[in-house]
Amino acid sequence: MTYLSRVRINPLRAASRTLLASPRALHGAVLAGIPDTAPGDRILWRLDADHPRRPMLLVLTPSKPDWTHIVEQAGWPDAEGEHYAIRDYSPLLAQLAVGREFAFRLKASPVQNTSKPDKPSAHRTKTDAELHHRSYRMAHRTAAQQLTWFLDRTARWGFTVPEARTDDPSPGLGPSAAEPPIDAPPAREVRITDRSRSTFTKPGTRTPVTLTTATFEGRLRISDPGLLEAALLGGIGPSKAYGCGLLTLAPLPTGAR
């Protein structure tokens, strides 16, 4: 059985500042809350910091977790209210059907494979020369590249992103008959709400890791429930251990359907 958890984080505590600043440290805290893991188990997590005073940790696990240690170290252990919530994921998966629409959020690490990076690091140059690697994994750094990366791959994840709903222009404000139509792709109901870049080292090594992320939000329409379920449970894109790849769905706001 799969579970989706939401854990409140208190950003003013010393331990919280460490977790919020380090994907490595937060990954370790997530693993510490899962008593039973098996080889091949996929654990996905994401830190939502829309409200800086109340960041929220979301975790998808294949078994029921216990987040007491995070509450004690980085939450409000003596306060009233729900410190964390754990929900069975099966009811959501049962709702997946062709044509159904949901609001979504995804934090991902958009990348491309290239054989000729513009500025390879010394580490990459050395290891590639030794191991004869034929390609590099390079992050997309601009918002336009990241959005294209996302939209080009939605079909393989089992959904499409509908065209944005726009009102017709007022009389006299639209293009005139003398003006040629603009041949541009239609706008889609997705936007990038956050972009970040951080550098840290892998555990037990001095190998630097640079993580470039983009958070996508919008509306999706299911085209293949099986592919979407695989994306929900298995994650999307690389860097899943560092808080990327967790796609979450929610009912559309009233009036948005």
Side-chain angles (χ1 to χ4, degrees):
M1 186 178 292
T2 304
Y3 296 89
L4 180 65
S5 304
R6 289 179 173 84
V7 188
R8 294 193 303 169
I9 304 294
N10 181 350
L12 300 181
R13 302 186 64 180
S16 301
R17 290 193 289 270
T18 298
L19 295 180
L20 296 175
S22 170
R24 267 186 54 192
L26 195 48
H27 175 62
V30 166
L31 294 182
I34 306 166
D36 299 314
T37 58
D41 280 350
R42 174 62 69 189
I43 299 165
L44 301 171
W45 62 272
R46 185 180 76 222
L47 180 66
D48 285 351
D50 309 66
H51 305 289
R53 296 181 62 182
R54 295 190 65 180
M56 190 77 68
L57 173 65
L58 284 79
V59 191
L60 190 70
T61 59
S63 59
K64 194 170 184 177
D66 180 3
W67 306 119
T68 304
H69 66 294
I70 294 182
V71 175
E72 292 177 346
Q73 299 171 16
W76 290 269
D78 298 322
E80 295 182 353
E82 188 177 53
H83 300 291
Y84 62 83
I86 302 175
R87 300 289 184 264
D88 179 7
Y89 210 49
S90 301
L92 173 66
L93 298 179
Q95 297 180 47
L96 303 183
V98 173
R100 185 153 191 183
E101 296 186 353
F102 289 90
F104 75 88
R105 174 178 285 189
L106 167 70
K107 182 177 181 180
S109 178
V111 297
Q112 62 176 326
N113 291 322
T114 177
S115 60
K116 296 180 180 180
D118 294 334
K119 297 179 180 180
S121 65
H123 171 74
R124 278 197 174 117
T125 302
K126 179 180 178 181
T127 55
D128 278 6
E130 292 175 350
L131 302 178
H132 306 290
H133 287 177
R134 296 184 178 180
S135 65
Y136 297 84
R137 175 177 284 180
M138 304 294 291
H140 287 299
R141 296 187 179 181
T142 69
Q145 291 172 337
Q146 292 167 345
L147 190 58
T148 298
W149 174 90
F150 174 80
L151 291 173
D152 284 349
R153 289 162 174 76
T154 57
R156 72 180 67 171
W157 300 327
F159 63 88
T160 60
V161 176
E163 293 184 16
R165 301 176 181 179
T166 56
D167 297 329
D168 293 332
S170 300
L173 296 181
S176 66
E179 296 175 342
I182 299 175
D183 186 13
R188 301 288 174 177
E189 292 223 11
V190 58
R191 65 189 186 280
I192 295 177
T193 58
D194 183 70
R195 302 171 63 236
S196 67
R197 188 168 184 260
S198 59
T199 301
F200 49 93
T201 57
K202 288 185 177 181
T205 74
R206 295 183 179 180
T207 304
V209 175
T210 299
L211 181 64
T212 302
T213 68
T215 300
F216 304 90
E217 294 186 36
R219 179 166 64 102
L220 63 78
R221 180 179 299 134
I222 300 174
S223 57
D224 188 316
L227 289 178
L228 179 54
E229 180 174 340
L232 290 169
L233 298 178
I236 288 175
S239 303
K240 297 180 181 69
Y242 301 123
C244 296
L246 176 59
L247 173 68
T248 52
L249 307 181
L252 288 169
T254 302
R257 300 180 182 180

